[in-house]
């Protein structure tokens, strides 16, 4: 998600510099688009480009709605630039997959999420990929988490979940009674902060810290055995 917010910031400056949109106003419109992108379902008979363009038309205020086509094209260009996985993270995934079974659960429409997964080249790194748009559920619904557990052939209490959204990843993991929840707190100014009902078991500031969490969990398990 961090890359998406960097994308949004770049787009805000694009709106400001090219169309003289006030930065605060640009941030509100871009934020509304991102919110709708996460929360609104694409119709099964709707092309992904048409759906995204309609979301931009909804997000842009009446004064700027005529810019929807140009803004969408710029957003799409930036998306291909920013939505990528670093070599370090890919190396980490390879290392983890040697020891663990890995699942990716992604909220969003089927076309959009599979496009992102393909752009990032993530398929080879996971034993199981579940996209909410292909199921009746989305995080934090426990059913989509249990579906991933079933595909991995593991019990929920043998799993941990790592994610950057407490309201979906952490809350879902808590509700599913997973072994542990790990929140990636990369920039709290752009993230919903946890409360007593969805407070994570671990907080990291970079996904690369996950190895430390796993080592700590393994040490605790040895102590209990």
């Amino acid at each position: 998600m961090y890359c998406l917010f960097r994308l949004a910031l770049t787009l805000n400056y694009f709106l400001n510099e090219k169309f003289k949109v006030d930065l605060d106003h640009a941030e509100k419109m871009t934020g509304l688009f991102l919110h709708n992108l996460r929360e609104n379902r694409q119709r099964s008979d709707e092309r992904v480009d048409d759906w995204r363009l309609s979301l931009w038309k909804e997000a842009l205020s009446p004064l700027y709605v005529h810019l929807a086509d140009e803004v969408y094209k710029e957003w799409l260009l930036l998306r291909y630039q920013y939505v990528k996985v670093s070599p370090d993270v890919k190396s980490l995934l390879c290392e983890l997959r040697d020891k663990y079974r890995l699942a990716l659960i992604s909220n969003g429409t089927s076309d959009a999420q599979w496009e992102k997964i393909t752009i990032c080249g993530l398929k080879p790194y996971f034993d199981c990929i579940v996209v909410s748009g292909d199921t009746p559920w989305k995080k934090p619904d426990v059913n989509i988490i249990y579906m991933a557990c079933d595909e991995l052939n593991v019990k929920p209490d043998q799993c941990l979940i790592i994610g950057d959204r407490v309201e979906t990843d952490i809350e879902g993991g808590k509700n599913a009674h997973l072994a542990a929840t790990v929140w990636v707190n990369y920039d709290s100014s752009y993230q919903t902060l946890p409360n007593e009902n969805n407070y994570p078991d671990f907080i990291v500031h970079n996904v690369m810290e996950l190895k430390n969490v796993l080592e700590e969990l393994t040490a605790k398990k040895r102590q209990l055995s």
Side-chain angles (χ1 to χ4, degrees), residues 56-149:
W56 270 117
K57 288 178 178 178
E58 289 176 16
L60 294 171
S61 60
L63 186 62
Y64 301 109
V65 70
H66 66 284
L67 301 175
D69 283 292
E70 191 164 354
V71 173
Y72 171 56
K73 288 176 184 176
E74 183 67 18
W75 175 83
L76 197 61
L77 183 67
L78 291 171
R79 188 170 188 263
Y80 282 100
Q81 260 180 257
Y82 280 100
V83 180
K84 57 182 66 174
V85 178
S86 71
D88 284 347
V89 172
K90 288 186 176 181
S91 177
L92 173 65
L93 290 171
C94 287
E95 186 177 340
L96 293 177
R97 202 173 179 203
D98 284 340
K99 300 177 182 177
Y100 308 99
R101 298 174 195 174
L102 304 184
L104 171 63
I105 306 175
S106 183
N107 276 2
T109 63
S110 182
D111 287 349
Q113 296 309 303
W114 281 110
E115 177 191 66
K116 184 166 61 176
I117 291 164
T118 301
I119 291 170
C120 294
L122 288 173
K123 287 182 184 179
Y125 298 94
F126 291 91
D127 300 285
C128 155
I129 297 177
V130 180
V131 172
S132 70
D134 298 328
T135 79
W137 318 290
K138 64 179 181 179
K139 297 175 291 183
D141 192 311
V142 297
N143 286 294
I144 196 168
I145 295 173
Y146 293 154
M147 181 179 180
C149 292

